[in-house]
Every structure is written in structure tokens, then in C-alpha cells.
Amino acid sequence: MTERLRLKKNADRRLKAGHLWLYSNEIDIATTPLKDFEPGAQAVIEAANGKPMGIAYVNPHSLICARIVSRDVDVRLDRSLLVHRFKQALSLRARMFAKPFYRLVYGEGDLLPGLIVDRFDDVLVVQLNTVGMDRLRDEIVAALEKVLAPRAIVFKNDSSGRRQEQLGDEVEVVYGELPDQVLLEENGVRFVVPVLDGQKTGWFFDHRANRAWLNGLVAGKRVLDVFSYVGGWGVQAAAHGASEVLCVDSSAQALERVAENAALNGLAEQVAVGEGEAFEALAALKAEGEQFDVIVLDPPAFIKKRKDIPNGERAYSRLNREAIRLLGRDGMLLSASCSMHLAPERLMECVRGAVRHQDRHGQVIYQGHQGPDHPVHPAIPETAYLKAMGVRVFRN
């Protein structure tokens, strides 16, 4: 008999609206004590009147104590449902992209909370970010094998989300054999992806469309790519005609990959690298009298939790101020944020303040977000996290 988890009165409103999460303070623990559940176990979710509402996996130790995996109480999350959901996800990507390089599964956006799968042709990189998904690791591998017959599957389980779920870190090839180099192509440019020792899954597919937009404006320009990682923005800018590109990152290893990716595309002459913490590097470039036509700011999330919002907004403001000091008379700023807790209008405010601080004018000519391989769940605002603003910055 399947376990059941009953909600308090009126605690089913978000679920009815389509949301997939349940919080521990919404559970009727007198009727169905959370402490009785084994982490990762699946249960029938019931409204306060006992009406079944769906199947969820449960973690009694987490604030989000249950995540819906099926609205049909007769359907469990198992290999069969995983195969079905993977095929649904694949059909969307096949419609959107000509080549097999994309995020194949985007957690809640693909009705598979806690699961991320990035596809690099025949290599799949998987993140199991919750106990519920971690318990299904063998079924996930089997389902991916059935749907895509990959050459290799990598578990890149080192996210902060896992630590919140009291799961350990692990990075390993769990299926097949990893080739010496994992390659991808984005916007006509090739990259080597560090799937084992890079950030997240090794690549950030979410900015693909934003990079494509900027690529159309860089011909003949001098470009600065801050927080460059392996050169997603900078190497693409060089490939689309930028005269010079400087990629700045605090990681020497990432900058080695920038050089490797520039060389892979025959762009070694156009792309230079500079190692340093972003704020210090921007100050040093200003002191050296450097100027750029285009500057890309794509920092890691400065706001991880709600309590970080004030400090995070100050950091975004300062970063944009320091960058604008390095723009020429009529420059282009691409300012991005992957902080889910930073509202788009607050990023706009950070940029507005930074432009005025330098006594310049700004024109917002582009507002971008994550690509279609990161589909936004309309009931879950947390699935819409990425913001990118293209701003022309000019003097009187």
C-alpha cells in the first residue's frame, strides 16, 4: 500500500494552480507525520478532505518536503514514466534545435523536479539534485539508455542543492566510455566541454540566444568578457568578427580552456586572457587606460537566498558601474544575472544607476532570458531565473 501525505486545509491551492512543490508547514503532521517517511519515498498527496491530488516524492528533512511527479495517483515515477518524460522533453528540443546540443531535462520545467540532463551529442551529463531523484539513479540511466542510446553518461553530482538535501558529492562516468574530448557547437562555434571538472555540467546552454544576439553586434569591435569561464561569450564574439577579445576569469583552469577553444576555432590571435577577480581586474584595466566597445558581464549568482538580496543588488550595481567606466563614448553593455531572486526590474535599476553614476545615457535595446531548452513552468516562477540586458551606453 502506498503511503499518503495529507495537506492542511486550503494548503492545496498552489497545487491546484499547477505548482509541484509542497512545504513542510503545509502538511497535516497530526494525520500523516512527516518524520515517518523515508527520504525519497513516493506518496499519494491528499487534500485536507482526503481527495487524492497526485504522487510526490518526499524528503522530511527539507523545507520543500515533497515534489509532485505525477497527477495520476496510479502512476509512480519509475523507469516507464522516465522514458515517457524523456521522450516528451526530446520532442521539444528536436523541434527547437538542429543539432544535438542542449539541456534535455530542466527539472520542474520538464515535470521532473530535481533532475538536470545536458546533452552533448552522444554524451549526457546528469545532475541528481534531490534525494527523490538520487534514489532513482539506476532507472534514470536505463531510461536515458533506452531513449537516446548514448556513448556515455556522466553523473555530475556536486551541486549546492544536493548538500541542502544532505547528499554527498560525486562525479563519475556511470555508463559507457567518455571520449578524450567532449565537443559541442553553439551558434556555429565549437567548444571543448569540461564535463568532469568544469562548472555545473560543464557548459551553460541557457544563454545561447543571448549570445546569438550579441554576436550580431561585435564585428570590428574590442570586446571584454568578464567571468568568461571557458569563453562562451568571448570566443563566439571573436568568431563573429570582433577585432580583439579579452576574457577575464578568476580560474586559471577556465582560462586555459578559453585559449584551447579559441585555438579550436582558429581564433588564437584575436583572443587574450587575463586572470583575476572581476572587481580587481576591472579596476586594473581602468588604471591602465583600457577601453572597450562591448563589455559582457555574466557573473555567478550574487543572490543565492532571499536574505542575500540587499548585498547582492549592491554587488550588481557596483559591477555594472566599474564596467561602464571602461566603455568608449558609444559602447554596448550586456549585463546578465542568473539570480532567481533578482527581479528583472531590479537588474534594470542596477544598470540605470550605474549609467547615471558615470553621467552617461543608457538605451535598453535588448531584454533576453533563458532559451527554450530551459522551459519556464508557468506555475513556478522559480523556473524563470535568467536575465540579460543589452544596453547602449553613450555620452551627451
Side-chain angles (χ1 to χ4, degrees), residues 310-335:
N311 286 339
E313 287 190 358
R314 279 193 288 275
Y316 284 113
S317 294
R318 182 183 164 210
L319 179 65
N320 282 278
R321 268 200 316 271
E322 294 301 309
I324 287 169
R325 294 170 68 206
L326 291 167
L327 276 175
R329 290 189 65 81
D330 190 353
M332 182 69 63
L333 175 71
L334 190 292
S335 185

Side-chain angles (χ1 to χ4, degrees), residues 271-301:
V271 180
V273 300
E275 186 183 344
E277 191 272 330
F279 290 103
E280 292 169 9
L282 291 170
L285 288 166
K286 180 64 180 171
E288 291 159 15
E290 295 283 4
Q291 264 198 357
F292 297 89
D293 304 303
V294 178
I295 297 179
V296 177
L297 301 176
D298 184 17

Side-chain angles (χ1 to χ4, degrees), residues 5-6 8 24 26-36:
L5 198 60
R6 184 163 291 191
K8 291 177 180 174
S24 52
E26 296 173 322
I27 306 303
D28 178 355
I29 55 172
T31 307
T32 54
L34 264 174
K35 61 180 175 52
D36 291 352

Side-chain angles (χ1 to χ4, degrees), residues 103-388:
R103 174 147 291 181
L104 173 67
V105 175
Y106 173 54
E108 282 78 356
D110 285 297
L111 307 181
L112 288 167
L115 180 64
I116 299 293
V117 183
D118 276 358
R119 183 180 186 187
F120 305 100
D121 193 6
D122 55 3
V123 173
L124 304 176
V125 183
V126 178
Q127 288 189 313
L128 310 170
N129 291 323
T130 56
V131 174
M133 281 298 170
D134 200 71
R135 273 181 55 152
L136 290 164
R137 53 180 50 219
D138 293 343
E139 289 88 342
I140 288 166
V141 170
L144 287 171
E145 186 187 346
K146 180 175 173 63
V147 175
L148 284 168
R151 176 176 177 177
I153 299 175
V154 176
F155 277 179
K156 186 72 163 48
N157 290 331
D158 55 1
S159 68
S160 58
R162 280 180 68 83
R163 290 187 276 284
Q164 287 167 12
E165 292 262 319
Q166 300 176 1
L167 290 166
D169 289 0
E170 54 166 3
V171 178
E172 59 178 323
V173 181
V174 294
Y175 173 84
E177 199 170 314
L178 202 61
D180 292 339
Q181 279 192 331
V182 177
L183 296 170
L184 79 90
E185 184 183 314
E186 183 179 284
N187 299 327
V189 186
R190 291 188 304 150
F191 292 87
V192 178
V193 186
V195 297
L196 291 175
D197 58 358
Q199 293 178 25
K200 303 290 177 81
T201 63
W203 183 257
F204 296 91
F205 282 120
D206 50 3
H207 268 307
R208 178 197 329 243
N210 303 322
R211 293 190 191 109
W213 175 81
L214 191 69
N215 290 344
L217 298 173
V218 296
K221 305 295 187 188
R222 192 159 191 249
V223 177
L224 173 62
D225 178 6
V226 189
F227 306 98
S228 71
Y229 184 43
V230 298
W233 294 91
V235 174
Q236 286 192 38
H240 287 84
S243 57
E244 283 180 68
V245 176
L246 175 60
C247 289
V248 172
D249 200 276
S250 59
S251 163
Q253 187 182 35
L255 294 175
E256 285 174 20
R257 298 262 165 66
V258 171
E260 183 182 7
N261 288 323
L264 182 68
N265 292 280
L267 300 166
E269 295 295 309
Q270 289 101 298
V271 180
V273 300
E275 186 183 344
E277 191 272 330
F279 290 103
E280 292 169 9
L282 291 170
L285 288 166
K286 180 64 180 171
E288 291 159 15
E290 295 283 4
Q291 264 198 357
F292 297 89
D293 304 303
V294 178
I295 297 179
V296 177
L297 301 176
D298 184 17
F302 289 158
I303 305 173
K304 293 278 200 321
K305 299 190 170 91
R306 274 185 204 283
K307 66 178 177 60
D308 302 330
I309 289 175
N311 286 339
E313 287 190 358
R314 279 193 288 275
Y316 284 113
S317 294
R318 182 183 164 210
L319 179 65
N320 282 278
R321 268 200 316 271
E322 294 301 309
I324 287 169
R325 294 170 68 206
L326 291 167
L327 276 175
R329 290 189 65 81
D330 190 353
M332 182 69 63
L333 175 71
L334 190 292
S335 185
S337 167
C338 61
S339 293
M340 178 260 293
H341 293 294
L342 183 73
E345 59 270 20
R346 294 306 300 162
L347 178 61
M348 180 88 75
E349 180 61 19
C350 292
V351 172
R352 182 207 62 75
V355 170
R356 291 310 303 143
H357 189 270
Q358 303 303 324
D359 198 24
R360 301 205 201 181
H361 301 289
Q363 292 173 316
V364 178
I365 58 172
Y366 176 78
Q367 294 186 66
H369 39 78
Q370 64 218 57
D373 53 350
H374 293 64
V376 173
H377 191 304
I380 308 178
E382 292 87 350
T383 57
Y385 65 95
L386 195 71
K387 296 153 283 280

